[in-house]
Each structure stands twice: as C-alpha cells, then as structure tokens.
Amino acid sequence: MQDKRKNGLVYPLFALVVIALIMGAILGLTNFATADIIQEQILQKAQESRQKIFPEADSFTEIQLEERHQNLAPGLESVFSAQSQGELVGYVFTAANKGYAGDVPAVIGINLDGKIIGIEVQDNKETPGLGTKVALPDFLDPIIGTSVDDSMEIVKSYETKPGISAVTGATFSSAAIAADLKDARAVFNELTGEEQ
C-alpha cells in the first residue's frame, strides 16, 4: 500500500520537474534571443529622449563617467554633450534615484547658461495614479526654465519657500526627481567649472 502511494507521488513529481525544466529552458532561450532587441530599444528610447530635450542638437557624444562623478552624483547613469553644427549647446544627464517602489530615472537637459531646458521621466515602478504623477506636466513644467543655482529641495505645496513642489501623496517619488536633478547639477557644475 505504501509503495503504491510512494509511486503515486513520484510520477507526478517527476512530471512537474520535467515540465519546469522545459519551461525554464524556453524562457531562457527567449530571453537570450530578445536581449539584443530589448537593449536596442532602450538605447533608441534614450536617444529619442535626448533629441526631444535638445531638438536643435544634431549630435550627442557620451562623456565617460569617472569615479569622482559617481562620488558627486551616485544616481547618475550617463552624461552626453549636445552639439549643434559642431558647437556645444549643453548636456543631457540620465539619473535614477530611489523613489517609493524603486528607482525613478529621468533624462535632464541643461543648456550652457545653466538652465534646465527639459526633463523626461522614464519608465518606473512608482504607484500608478500617485507616484507616476511626477512624469506629468503639472510637476515637470515648473522645473523647466529654472537655473541649476535654484533650490532643488522638495517643499510642500503650502510652503512659500523656493524649491520643487512635491506631488501630494508622492513625496518619495518627488524626492527621487529632486535627487536626479541634484545629481545632474553636481556634474554639470564640475563639467563647466562652476562652484556648487
């Protein structure tokens, strides 16, 4: 009787293990086959974001990040110089700092006058309808046109001091964007020789 029960459990268990191995192999092969395509789409989206922020630029050159940049701006992922007809017109920074549910990446454009000319929040895992509001014009538009010298501290909407007005109920997400901006500012100031 126990042999029957034992055999009755072995075969289904064996079948489940075989199915799991086959499915794991299929998923692994699919990931391997699509990894290059996914990476290409990520790079293309980043290029589109840079071009959207600096439409007058005809080329972008990546600036290699050094250890000092990572120390100044731990959330910084990349820096590109933007050129128009061979002339430097500004820099595009990609930074990702911790929000509520994970990193909140943003692409930030700063012209040579130190003005933030564009910001585009990238895909993230913030709470839909709450934390994702940091990607909306209501939050981003007041930041565009500000100087890197302006306050980048998060302030509550009722406070009268200068800074970035937090999205109500999404303070962590708002703070992540502020940290992204601070990272961009720190490296911009170093690249242009400005004091922080």
Side-chain angles (χ1 to χ4, degrees), residues 83-105:
Q83 296 91 22
S84 178
Q85 299 178 347
E87 294 286 323
L88 180 66
V89 293
Y91 297 95
V92 182
F93 304 86
T94 301
N97 283 281
K98 180 106 175 79
Y100 179 75
D103 287 344
V104 183

Side-chain angles (χ1 to χ4, degrees), residues 12 50 53 55 58 71 107 110 113 119 162-163 167 185 191:
R50 288 190 289 274
I53 288 172
D58 51 33
N71 291 338
V107 178
I110 303 176
D113 295 329
I119 180 168
V167 173
R185 172 178 62 188
L191 290 171

Side-chain angles (χ1 to χ4, degrees), residues 92-170:
V92 182
F93 304 86
T94 301
N97 283 281
K98 180 106 175 79
Y100 179 75
D103 287 344
V104 183
V107 178
I108 301 157
I110 303 176
N111 69 16
L112 295 179
D113 295 329
K115 297 283 184 203
I116 297 167
I117 62 158
I119 180 168
E120 189 171 294
V121 177
Q122 303 296 293
D123 294 338
N124 60 70
K125 294 183 178 13
E126 295 301 277
T127 307
L130 197 57
T132 55
K133 287 183 179 180
V134 298
L136 298 176
D138 287 348
F139 178 73
L140 297 176
D141 285 351
I143 297 169
I144 296 170
T146 61
S147 170
V148 293
D149 297 327
D150 293 342
S151 173
M152 293 187 185
E153 298 302 317
I154 292 296
V155 295
K156 304 291 183 191
S157 59
Y158 58 83
E159 294 179 310
T160 57
K161 61 184 180 181
I164 299 169
S165 290
V167 173
T168 303

Side-chain angles (χ1 to χ4, degrees), residues 34-52 60 62 64 77-80 92 94 107 120 122-123:
T34 59
D36 290 341
I37 296 168
I38 292 169
Q39 186 61 32
E40 187 177 313
Q41 288 176 341
I42 290 169
L43 293 174
Q44 183 177 353
K45 185 171 181 178
Q47 175 65 20
E48 288 170 1
S49 293
R50 288 190 289 274
Q51 197 66 59
K52 183 177 176 184
F60 297 92
E62 186 167 13
Q64 294 302 312
E77 293 180 349
S78 68
V79 180
F80 284 79
V92 182
T94 301
V107 178
E120 189 171 294
Q122 303 296 293
D123 294 338

Side-chain angles (χ1 to χ4, degrees), residues 67-83:
E67 186 176 335
R68 72 178 191 275
H69 296 129
Q70 292 299 327
N71 291 338
L72 275 174
L76 195 67
E77 293 180 349
S78 68
V79 180
F80 284 79
S81 61
Q83 296 91 22

